[in-house]
Amino acid sequence: MTSASSNPGQDSRIVFSVSELNASVRQLLEHSYGLLWVEGEISNLARPRSGHMYFSLKDGDAQVRCALFRGKARLIRTPLADGDQVRLRARVSLYAARGDYQLIVEHVEPAGDGALRRAFEQLKARLDAEGLFAAERKRALPVAPARIGVITSATGAAIRDVLSVVSRRFPLGAVRVYPVPVQGDAAAPAIVNALTQASARADCDVLLLVRGGGSLEDLWSFNDENVARAIVASRVPVVSGVGHEVDVTIADFAADMRAATPSAAAELVCPDLTAQAAALPRIAERLNARMNARLQAARERLNGLEARLARQHPRRRLEVPMQRLDVTEQRLHRAMQRRFDRETERVAALGRRLEQASPQRRLAAAQLQRETLARRLETAMRARLHNADQQLRNAGRALNAVSPLQTLERGYAIARDDHAHVVRSADTVVPGDRLSVDLARGRLDCEVRAVHVESGERST
């Protein structure tokens, strides 16, 4: 941008160059609008060798230039042509070289399918966030299903294609058809009911959900949320084969496996028995060749190992240690014999010492000594008893000589008073006293009737 000088007398207006103006307008447009949707008809479509696409988008009263660069153009599924009614997601910009206002296109879709496409994308994103499309949830298909369930129209081309493939590839498989409408308002509830019934019965090994091609609106029953949830809830693996290869539905993302067409869905679950039977001889030949090669390699390896074993046989490596073991064993035997002889001699010496100091010998000597002492003790006791007996006899004779009993034998008696005192004199009693008189044999209890003393007589 250029501006006038600040000196007095000069022009003070701000003056833009064309480049500066276009650049400013471009920034203003891009920042003011951002991404937006525009609907109209394509005209003046050009495809230069660069891969970019340029066209005009018009309605009955106006038109705007559009640029679809190569990176985004590759993502367009349906080829564009003049006269197509489309809906664009684009940002407003300006081609500064010519000063042309234009749209930089990010996405193109047919105008009639736009609302359905947005609903499809929104439902897909929501179900994906819930994990309904997660790969770890997908179940493996049976290798050779005995019964194949087909959910489709009973009169459509899809069921004929499936039956044709089954009869051609896998005639052993039985087909159970769950007839449903595949288009219109009644289609989605019928499909949900068929999936629920097939899951509850569990009489099929796999389910095919198929129909032929059509527009997005024709296939909309397979973009129903309830259909997707019924597929996920099914206890039986589900293969979707809806439309043609370019058609993609929510059911395809929810199913355990997607096939491009109904025929492709049938081929996914039906092994080709004819091809397998034809391949058996080749497989057997390859198997025999590989087994022979492995056997030959194993035989060569075994021969090599036998040669190495012959050169490095463990027996050869053990010869020296075995000889060393024999020598060591002999030395050990001699050492043990010497040790045994020494211990034998030592035990004999201890035996002799033990015999000399044996308690038995000492016990025999003590026994002999005890017997001798016993005999001596008996002799001494006999002599002592004899002497004591003689002494007792002599004392008895002496005692007998002075014993009152002898006196009593001679006719004398011993009188005692009531206090057991011996009455020695008559004057110690009075008449009436009771006396006890001991005789040589027996005793008399007497009463004193009279007392006679030398000087006179006392009586009662």
Side-chain angles (χ1 to χ4, degrees):
M1 181 185 299
T2 60
S3 61
S5 172
S6 59
N7 293 329
Q10 292 187 351
D11 193 349
S12 60
R13 292 173 297 180
I14 298 174
V15 180
F16 291 86
S17 68
V18 176
S19 298
E20 291 173 341
L21 177 61
N22 284 351
S24 178
V25 171
R26 178 181 178 181
Q27 292 181 2
L28 180 63
L29 289 173
E30 291 180 350
H31 287 94
S32 297
Y33 289 95
L35 283 174
L36 48 78
W37 288 89
V38 183
E39 184 175 330
E41 179 185 333
I42 294 177
S43 64
N44 302 319
L45 179 64
R47 294 186 177 87
R49 297 182 60 183
S50 63
H52 307 316
M53 299 175 65
Y54 302 98
F55 56 89
S56 296
L57 188 68
K58 65 179 183 177
D59 58 18
D61 299 320
Q63 65 178 7
V64 61
R65 290 183 179 276
C66 300
L68 178 61
F69 295 116
R70 180 175 54 190
K72 300 296 183 181
R74 290 175 177 173
L75 302 178
I76 303 302
R77 188 178 65 175
T78 304
L80 302 182
D82 287 337
D84 287 347
Q85 190 75 19
V86 295
R87 181 172 293 164
L88 309 179
R89 186 175 68 235
R91 51 188 174 83
V92 181
S93 184
L94 183 79
Y95 182 50
R98 288 200 305 265
D100 289 342
Y101 142 71
Q102 64 179 1
L103 299 178
I104 306 300
V105 180
E106 300 285 335
H107 173 72
V108 181
E109 64 183 33
D113 294 342
L116 293 178
R117 181 61 60 185
R118 284 196 300 274
F120 174 89
E121 295 295 341
Q122 291 172 359
L123 178 59
K124 175 187 171 186
R126 181 160 57 84
L127 297 182
D128 190 18
E130 291 184 25
L132 268 66
F133 305 154
E136 56 271 18
R137 189 198 59 75
K138 308 291 186 178
R139 292 163 294 187
L141 303 182
V143 176
R147 185 178 290 273
I148 303 168
V150 183
I151 301 175
T152 189
S153 171
T155 59
I159 187 60
R160 292 194 295 272
D161 294 342
V162 169
L163 293 176
S164 175
V165 171
V166 172
S167 62
R168 172 173 52 85
R169 291 173 58 92
F170 191 57
L172 299 179
V175 177
R176 179 185 181 90
V177 180
Y178 291 87
V180 294
V182 293
Q183 187 173 334
D185 295 338
I191 293 172
V192 171
N193 184 57
L195 287 166
T196 304
Q197 282 188 7
S199 176
R201 291 177 178 175
D203 56 355
C204 295
D205 300 315
V206 66
L207 293 175
L208 304 184
L209 179 60
V210 296
R211 72 147 284 165
S215 65
L216 180 60
E217 186 175 1
D218 294 337
L219 304 179
W220 194 249
S221 300
F222 297 88
N223 293 321
D224 187 85
E225 179 177 353
N226 294 327
V227 171
R229 295 189 182 278
I231 292 173
V232 173
S234 172
R235 293 188 298 166
V236 183
V238 178
V239 177
S240 68
V242 179
H244 300 301
E245 187 171 357
V246 294
D247 297 317
V248 180
T249 66
I250 296 295
D252 294 331
F253 294 105
D256 297 289
M257 185 72 70
R258 177 199 178 248
T261 62
S263 298
E267 290 178 356
L268 275 176
V269 300
C270 293
D272 191 348
L273 295 184
T274 303
Q276 290 181 359
L280 283 178
R282 294 194 302 274
I283 294 174
E285 184 178 352
R286 290 172 56 192
L287 181 61
N288 288 332
R290 294 184 67 177
M291 288 295 295
N292 290 334
R294 292 188 64 178
L295 288 174
Q296 181 63 28
R299 189 177 296 108
E300 292 176 358
R301 183 170 177 271
L302 180 61
N303 292 336
L305 291 175
E306 288 179 347
R308 288 180 59 190
L309 184 61
R311 294 192 301 269
Q312 300 180 356
H313 197 283
R315 190 179 295 109
R316 293 187 179 180
R317 300 182 63 182
L318 290 175
E319 287 176 354
V320 174
M322 289 175 64
Q323 185 176 3
R324 188 182 298 117
L325 179 63
D326 291 338
V327 173
T328 304
E329 183 180 5
Q330 294 173 2
R331 291 174 58 190
L332 179 62
H333 180 73
R334 289 194 296 269
M336 289 181 64
Q337 187 64 44
R338 289 194 298 270
R339 179 74 177 271
F340 178 75
D341 293 342
R342 286 198 304 269
E343 292 298 324
T344 301
E345 185 177 353
R346 178 170 170 271
V347 169
L350 290 174
R352 290 191 295 271
R353 288 179 60 189
L354 181 62
E355 185 178 357
Q356 293 173 0
S358 173
Q360 181 120 21
R361 178 175 292 185
R362 295 178 64 183
L363 185 62
Q367 181 72 19
L368 181 61
Q369 185 180 7
R370 185 189 69 79
E371 292 176 357
T372 301
L373 291 175
R375 286 193 298 270
R376 289 173 60 188
L377 178 60
E378 184 178 1
T379 301
M381 288 181 65
R382 288 180 182 278
R384 184 78 177 267
L385 288 173
H386 180 72
N387 292 337
D389 184 64
Q390 291 297 326
Q391 290 178 2
L392 180 61
R393 289 177 182 274
N394 293 334
R397 285 193 294 269
L399 181 62
N400 191 40
V402 295
S403 174
L405 296 178
Q406 291 298 325
T407 302
L408 293 176
E409 285 292 336
R410 291 196 297 271
Y412 292 92
I414 299 173
R416 289 183 174 83
D417 58 16
D418 291 337
H419 301 290
H421 295 153
V422 176
V423 179
R424 299 180 184 277
S425 175
D427 58 1
T428 60
V429 298
V430 293
D433 287 348
R434 301 189 68 83
L435 299 177
S436 173
V437 179
D438 292 326
L439 303 176
R441 284 175 287 277
R443 186 180 62 187
L444 300 176
D445 289 329
C446 304
E447 181 180 348
V448 178
R449 299 180 62 188
V451 177
H452 303 278
V453 295
E454 293 180 356
S455 59
E457 178 180 344
R458 288 186 297 172
S459 62
T460 53

